[in-house]
Amino acid sequence: MAIPEKDLDRIRLWCREQWPENMWDQVKCEADVSGHRVDIVEVRPLMGGPDAIGREPIRESVARLRYNATTGLWAIYWCDSNFRFHEYKYKRPSKNVSTLLDHIANSGDPIFWG
């Protein structure tokens, strides 16, 4: 069973709401979907004048949400400085992805938006 489409829609909407649209040329949040996981990334243009033109933007991991199709639960993972993900122990997995998104946005834990 794939990730529920309603959950993907909610995650994508949440990402769009993290920064005002008039700032999207400077910073925005995106959801990268792969299998049973969704990586939430902050996207910023590469700075550096003419050398940066046409180069890929900087994509920094905020969190990973992993869906377990057997249980229907979502879990949060955080990214370390070596770009490895670890299960986040301070919020239990939930069937409601919105509760996890709210935690990422409002917990004040610098592990996400650091």
Coordinates of all heavy atoms in Angstrom, one line a residue, residues 23-28 42-59:
M23 N 8.3 35.2 -0.8 CA 9.6 34.9 -0.4 C 10.2 33.6 -1.1 O 11.4 33.3 -0.9 CB 9.7 34.7 1.1 CG 9.5 35.9 1.9 SD 9.8 35.7 3.7 CE 11.5 35.4 3.7
W24 N 9.4 33.0 -1.9 CA 9.8 31.7 -2.5 C 11.0 31.8 -3.4 O 11.7 30.8 -3.6 CB 8.6 31.1 -3.2 CG 7.6 30.5 -2.3 CD1 7.6 30.5 -1.0 CD2 6.4 29.9 -2.7 NE1 6.4 29.9 -0.5 CE2 5.6 29.5 -1.6 CE3 5.8 29.6 -4.0 CZ2 4.4 28.9 -1.6 CZ3 4.5 29.0 -4.0 CH2 3.9 28.7 -2.8
D25 N 11.3 33.0 -3.9 CA 12.6 33.1 -4.7 C 13.8 33.1 -3.8 O 14.9 33.0 -4.2 CB 12.5 34.4 -5.6 CG 12.4 35.7 -4.8 OD1 11.9 35.6 -3.6 OD2 12.9 36.7 -5.3
Q26 N 13.6 33.3 -2.4 CA 14.7 33.3 -1.5 C 14.7 32.1 -0.6 O 15.8 31.6 -0.3 CB 14.5 34.6 -0.5 CG 14.5 35.9 -1.3 CD 14.1 37.0 -0.3 OE1 14.6 37.0 0.8 NE2 13.3 37.9 -0.8
V27 N 13.6 31.6 -0.2 CA 13.5 30.4 0.6 C 12.1 29.8 0.4 O 11.1 30.5 0.4 CB 13.8 30.7 2.1 CG1 12.8 31.6 2.7 CG2 13.9 29.4 2.9
K28 N 12.0 28.4 0.4 CA 10.8 27.7 0.4 C 11.0 26.3 0.9 O 12.1 25.9 1.1 CB 10.1 27.7 -1.0 CG 11.0 27.0 -2.0 CD 10.3 27.1 -3.4 CE 11.2 26.5 -4.5 NZ 10.5 26.6 -5.8
E42 N 14.3 22.4 3.0 CA 14.3 23.9 2.9 C 15.2 24.1 1.6 O 16.3 23.6 1.5 CB 14.8 24.5 4.1 CG 14.7 26.0 4.1 CD 15.2 26.6 5.4 OE1 16.5 26.8 5.5 OE2 14.4 27.0 6.2
V43 N 14.6 24.9 0.7 CA 15.3 25.2 -0.5 C 15.7 26.7 -0.6 O 14.8 27.6 -0.4 CB 14.4 24.8 -1.7 CG1 15.2 25.1 -3.0 CG2 14.0 23.4 -1.6
R44 N 17.0 27.0 -0.8 CA 17.5 28.3 -1.0 C 18.3 28.4 -2.2 O 19.0 27.5 -2.6 CB 18.3 28.7 0.2 CG 17.5 28.8 1.5 CD 18.4 29.2 2.7 NE 17.7 29.3 3.9 CZ 17.1 30.4 4.4 NH1 17.2 31.5 3.7 NH2 16.5 30.4 5.5
P45 N 18.3 29.6 -2.9 CA 19.2 29.7 -4.1 C 20.6 29.8 -3.6 O 21.0 30.2 -2.5 CB 18.7 31.1 -4.7 CG 18.1 31.8 -3.5 CD 17.5 30.8 -2.6
L46 N 21.5 29.3 -4.5 CA 22.9 29.4 -4.3 C 23.4 30.8 -4.4 O 23.1 31.5 -5.4 CB 23.6 28.5 -5.3 CG 25.1 28.3 -5.1 CD1 25.4 27.6 -3.8 CD2 25.7 27.5 -6.3
M47 N 24.0 31.3 -3.4 CA 24.5 32.7 -3.4 C 25.9 32.7 -4.0 O 26.6 31.8 -4.0 CB 24.5 33.3 -2.0 CG 23.2 33.3 -1.3 SD 22.1 34.4 -2.2 CE 20.7 34.3 -1.2
G48 N 26.3 33.9 -4.5 CA 27.6 34.0 -5.0 C 27.7 34.7 -6.3 O 28.7 34.5 -7.0
G49 N 26.8 35.5 -6.6 CA 26.9 36.4 -7.8 C 26.8 35.6 -9.1 O 26.1 34.6 -9.2
P50 N 27.5 36.0 -10.1 CA 27.4 35.4 -11.5 C 27.7 33.9 -11.5 O 27.2 33.2 -12.3 CB 28.4 36.2 -12.3 CG 28.6 37.5 -11.6 CD 28.4 37.2 -10.1
D51 N 28.6 33.5 -10.6 CA 29.0 32.1 -10.6 C 27.9 31.2 -10.2 O 27.9 30.0 -10.5 CB 30.2 31.9 -9.6 CG 31.5 32.5 -10.1 OD1 31.5 32.8 -11.4 OD2 32.4 32.7 -9.3
A52 N 26.9 31.7 -9.5 CA 25.8 30.9 -9.0 C 24.6 30.8 -10.0 O 23.8 29.9 -9.8 CB 25.2 31.5 -7.7
I53 N 24.6 31.6 -11.0 CA 23.5 31.6 -12.0 C 23.5 30.2 -12.7 O 24.5 29.7 -13.2 CB 23.7 32.7 -13.0 CG1 23.6 34.1 -12.3 CG2 22.7 32.6 -14.1 CD1 23.9 35.3 -13.1
G54 N 22.3 29.7 -12.7 CA 22.1 28.4 -13.4 C 22.5 27.2 -12.5 O 22.3 26.1 -13.0
R55 N 23.0 27.4 -11.4 CA 23.4 26.2 -10.5 C 22.2 25.8 -9.7 O 21.3 26.6 -9.4 CB 24.6 26.6 -9.7 CG 25.8 26.9 -10.6 CD 27.1 27.0 -10.0 NE 27.5 25.9 -9.1 CZ 28.4 26.2 -8.1 NH1 28.9 27.3 -8.0 NH2 28.7 25.2 -7.3
E56 N 22.3 24.6 -9.2 CA 21.2 24.0 -8.4 C 21.1 24.7 -7.1 O 22.2 25.1 -6.5 CB 21.5 22.5 -8.1 CG 21.4 21.7 -9.4 CD 20.0 21.6 -9.9 OE1 19.0 21.4 -9.1 OE2 19.8 21.8 -11.2
P57 N 19.9 24.9 -6.5 CA 19.8 25.5 -5.2 C 20.3 24.6 -4.1 O 20.5 23.4 -4.3 CB 18.3 25.8 -5.1 CG 17.7 24.7 -6.0 CD 18.7 24.5 -7.1
I58 N 20.4 25.2 -2.9 CA 20.8 24.5 -1.7 C 19.6 23.8 -1.2 O 18.6 24.5 -0.9 CB 21.5 25.4 -0.7 CG1 22.8 26.0 -1.3 CG2 21.8 24.6 0.6 CD1 23.4 27.1 -0.5
R59 N 19.6 22.5 -0.9 CA 18.5 21.8 -0.4 C 18.9 21.2 1.0 O 19.8 20.3 1.0 CB 18.0 20.7 -1.3 CG 17.6 21.3 -2.7 CD 17.2 20.2 -3.7 NE 16.1 19.5 -3.2 CZ 14.8 19.9 -3.4 NH1 14.6 21.1 -3.9 NH2 13.8 19.2 -3.0

